[in-house]
Amino acid sequence: MPFAPLLKRSAVAAIAALAVQLTLAAEVGGVKLDDAVKVAGKDLRLNGAGVRTRVIFKVYAMGLYLAKKETTTDAVLATPGPRRISLVMLREVGADDFLQAFVSGIEANVDKAERAKIGAQMARLGEIFNAVGGLKKGDALTVDWVPEKGTVIEFNGKPQGDALPDVAFYNALLRIWLGDKPADSSLKPQLLGG
């Protein structure tokens, strides 16, 4: 076999392998987020990612994973099947401050009647954050929606308590970042693939 065609095929194979490696992760805020994850046996793709900034401080890198690309809040909330929110801390945050940010985000984006329906799950979320204690730079939090099970929270890969059963609770969490009054207005379009 002549050397030139073999060299050409090797170069094409090397470029293809490099392209696959480049698509395996997105980098936001210096954190690499997987391009794809598996939740409840289903493949999910990174819908969008960005950094949550408060004032001038970078708080965490975040990724939203869905089965197929969605570009509106309503479509994300209506998505059937598993979903994932992935957060990686970029600074230290106390458990009380982190919980208060979640509560404030829900209060700003979920009406009072709906908040009343998820009150018990909000209390459980508070218990989880208190058990975890403060969050340090590099800590990872995943919040999965698993159909027929509920919201599953993991901290640094370890499950935190029982699943929280109501999809309304999971959607309330999503509204923190995707609602009409998002926690960070520049992060919302990034999570929606903008």
Side-chain angles (χ1 to χ4, degrees):
M1 174 179 253
F3 182 70
L6 181 61
L7 184 60
K8 184 177 178 181
R9 270 187 266 184
S10 295
V12 168
I15 291 169
L18 180 59
V20 167
Q21 285 181 328
L22 292 175
T23 62
L24 290 179
E27 187 170 324
V28 289
V31 173
K32 288 185 180 176
L33 297 173
D34 291 330
D35 187 49
V37 296
K38 203 174 267 293
V39 174
K42 302 287 183 187
D43 292 324
L44 303 181
R45 306 275 309 152
L46 185 63
N47 195 73
V51 173
R52 163 73 167 107
T53 303
R54 185 161 185 181
V55 187
I56 59 169
F57 300 105
K58 294 178 179 179
V59 183
Y60 49 78
M62 180 178 183
L64 173 64
Y65 293 86
L66 304 171
K68 69 180 188 90
K69 188 77 163 174
E70 299 294 356
T71 59
T72 69
T73 298
D74 289 341
V76 171
L77 298 178
T79 296
R83 296 176 264 170
R84 171 171 283 180
I85 301 165
S86 178
L87 304 173
V88 178
M89 300 305 296
L90 299 176
R91 63 181 301 109
E92 190 170 316
V93 178
D96 290 341
D97 292 336
F98 201 65
L99 176 61
Q100 186 53 49
F102 271 58
V103 170
S104 296
I106 289 173
E107 287 177 348
N109 291 287
V110 177
D111 68 46
K112 189 174 181 178
E114 196 170 341
R115 287 196 315 264
K117 291 178 189 174
I118 62 170
Q121 292 177 88
M122 286 297 299
R124 182 66 191 113
L125 182 67
E127 292 170 8
I128 289 170
F129 283 164
N130 284 330
V132 165
L135 295 109
K136 299 181 295 294
K137 183 177 180 178
D139 281 346
L141 180 73
T142 59
V143 184
D144 294 342
W145 172 252
V146 179
E148 299 178 20
K149 186 172 185 181
T151 299
V152 177
I153 299 171
E154 290 189 0
F155 179 69
N156 290 332
K158 295 177 185 165
Q160 302 297 309
D162 296 329
L164 305 169
D166 194 346
V167 72
F169 173 70
Y170 193 83
N171 283 343
L173 292 176
L174 284 171
R175 284 188 181 104
I176 294 170
W177 303 281
L178 301 179
D180 292 335
K181 298 174 185 171
D184 184 332
S185 59
S186 65
L187 179 57
K188 178 179 176 176
Q190 294 173 355
L191 294 174
L192 293 173

